[in-house]
Amino acid sequence: MDLPAVPPDQKPKRSRFLRFVILVSGWFFIVLGILGLFLPILQGILFLAIGAYLLSLESPMARRFIERMRRRYPRLGATFDTARDRAAHILHRINAKFR
């Protein structure tokens, strides 16, 4: 399942705080994924995919990166789908906590 191309004028309206939380958590998962590539106890690829998905919610460049990786490595699509589901769960918990 591909990420929908969202024009900038149709992006969901998020508060500045929620945008900040999304970006910080996206970069946190990217760093955790990089560590996971070298440490055997962490799933590096999954954390990288979660971080990329979170960043793609706010960054068109990250969205294009995910689509390019999906086209180049089709088997990674399942990893991105799992990451999207986990990230959506994380965002749902954040939304519930700060409302």
Side-chain angles (χ1 to χ4, degrees):
M1 186 165 132
D2 294 332
L3 292 174
V6 180
D9 58 342
Q10 294 182 358
K11 266 177 84 170
K13 301 295 182 201
R14 294 187 179 99
S15 69
R16 290 175 66 105
F17 179 73
L18 185 57
R19 289 184 69 214
F20 176 75
V21 169
I22 290 171
L23 290 173
V24 167
S25 60
W27 282 110
F28 171 75
F29 278 108
I30 294 289
V31 169
L32 199 60
I34 291 171
L35 288 174
L37 293 175
F38 300 105
L39 298 173
I41 58 172
L42 296 175
Q43 296 180 356
I45 298 296
L46 183 60
F47 286 134
L48 285 172
I50 290 172
Y53 174 74
L54 287 172
L55 290 176
S56 75
L57 294 174
E58 294 297 327
S59 169
M61 187 174 77
R63 200 172 304 121
R64 286 190 304 266
F65 172 75
I66 288 177
E67 290 305 317
R68 195 169 47 243
M69 290 297 110
R70 279 179 172 274
R71 284 193 302 273
R72 191 168 191 185
Y73 306 105
R75 286 197 281 173
L76 236 96
T79 303
F80 279 122
D81 291 340
T82 303
R84 184 188 60 239
D85 295 341
R86 289 188 182 188
H89 179 70
I90 290 168
L91 287 177
H92 178 71
R93 287 181 25 203
I94 291 170
N95 275 335
K97 191 174 210 174
F98 291 108
R99 281 192 177 188

